[in-house]
Amino acid sequence: MQKSCFLLNSLFVFSFASLISFQPENASAATINLQNGTATFSQQLFGGPFTPAQAVDGNFGDPNGWAIARSPDVQNSFSETAVWETETDVAAGNLAISMHFLHSNPGHLLGRFRLSVTTDDRSTFADGLGTNGDVTANWSVLDNAIVTGPSGMTFTTLGDDSILAGGTVAATGTYTLNYSTTIDNITGLRLEALEHPTLANNGPGFPGNGNFLLTEITLDATPVQETVPEPAGILSLLVAAGFGVALKNKKRNEVCD
Ligand SMILES: [Ca+2]
Ligand SMILES: [Ca+2]
Ligand SMILES: [Ca+2]
């Protein structure tokens, strides 16, 4: 009887150790390449074009990126949208999206913007055109952003989950948006540059003409792995259940004393 009790206790300890060892862990972050940059409008003036393709070309030099000024006279800029495909499907989990504004003409940062993702087939959006491109897809707005940016700048989330930047506008800088999403198999990313009455000429950027220069946008994803126990974990559960039955028998029969 002592021997069988030892065996049961050993199995019990083993089963819990197995359960602990198979607890889910977050995978490490991976950089997801973005491709086929497409926009409603890309700036042609002042040495352009400045396209969303240049915002994912890995070139952090200047000037190189996406900008939206429309005229040298009126110098106006309006709400514009850029989209990119993810090179590979992105699993549900944590998304860190960084927008780098590195133009030598200071203050060319975005004032108001919103980020979204889609799981649509890549062939149905992002045709690579810098102007009048296909930005239409089933977009899901990302929310509850944790934002970091240049020292002295503030970030306020508005009712439509767009983000309004403010405070002391930096000469150059990077905004990093951290999101947690349950959306799985993400195929695309959308950036809406949005006007707002508190910005010069309504924005969307901080300069007097509402322009900005998005030098580069990057996506780092950390998938959250599923919490389903692996086979060894399931076996442990069964062993533990068996031990429970044995414990009941022990109490009834006092076989382990
Ligand atoms: Ca670039
Ligand atoms: Ca404007
Ligand atoms: Ca496409």
Side-chain angles (χ1 to χ4, degrees):
M1 289 304 178
Q2 289 294 337
K3 186 179 179 185
S4 65
C5 287
F6 174 77
L7 183 62
L8 281 171
N9 281 312
S10 298
L11 284 170
F12 189 64
V13 170
F14 167 76
S15 59
F16 269 88
S18 299
L19 282 173
I20 291 167
S21 66
F22 284 101
Q23 286 298 306
E25 295 175 2
N26 282 357
S28 56
T31 299
I32 307 295
N33 290 330
L34 300 171
Q35 62 188 19
N36 285 338
T38 299
T40 51
F41 181 79
S42 292
Q43 177 176 322
Q44 303 297 314
L45 303 166
F46 309 121
F50 296 102
T51 65
Q54 293 175 33
V56 295
D57 64 1
N59 182 353
F60 287 75
D62 180 67
N64 171 292
W66 184 46
I68 63 167
R70 284 180 175 260
S71 163
D73 300 320
V74 180
Q75 296 239 320
N76 218 337
S77 306
F78 305 102
S79 296
E80 307 288 356
T81 298
V83 304
W84 299 267
E85 301 167 5
T86 59
E87 188 178 87
T88 55
D89 289 5
V90 179
N94 297 312
L95 307 177
I97 299 166
S98 291
M99 296 192 287
H100 306 270
F101 304 96
L102 304 177
H103 191 26
S104 59
N105 191 352
H108 276 61
L109 281 65
L110 249 178
R112 181 180 169 221
F113 58 92
R114 189 165 70 165
L115 289 160
S116 308
V117 294
T118 186
T119 60
D120 285 4
D121 191 284
R122 291 177 179 81
S123 67
T124 65
F125 67 96
D127 53 15
L129 293 177
T131 295
N132 294 326
D134 182 1
V135 299
T136 303
N138 295 299
W139 296 105
S140 298
V141 173
L142 295 169
D143 58 8
N144 297 317
I146 298 172
V147 191
T148 58
S151 176
M153 291 194 70
T154 61
F155 298 90
T156 305
T157 301
L158 305 182
D160 61 355
D161 289 312
S162 67
I163 294 168
L164 181 65
T168 304
V169 178
T172 61
T174 297
Y175 304 165
T176 297
L177 297 301
N178 281 281
Y179 297 96
S180 177
T181 183
T182 57
I183 299 172
D184 204 17
N185 301 317
I186 293 166
T187 57
L189 175 67
R190 178 180 70 175
L191 168 64
E192 293 170 282
L194 299 167
E195 294 195 282
H196 193 271
T198 61
L199 301 166
N201 275 324
N202 294 323
F206 284 111
N209 64 354
N211 199 15
F212 59 87
L213 179 61
L214 176 65
T215 307
E216 203 75 6
I217 184 170
T218 59
L219 168 60
D220 290 288
T222 308
V224 174
Q225 294 182 336
E226 295 180 10
T227 55
V228 177
E230 296 186 21
I234 293 170
L235 176 64
S236 301
L237 281 172
L238 292 173
V239 171
F243 178 77
V245 171
L247 193 63
K248 278 187 178 177
N249 288 337
K250 172 194 170 188
K251 284 182 175 173
R252 190 167 63 237
N253 301 329
E254 298 296 328
V255 294
C256 289
D257 288 343

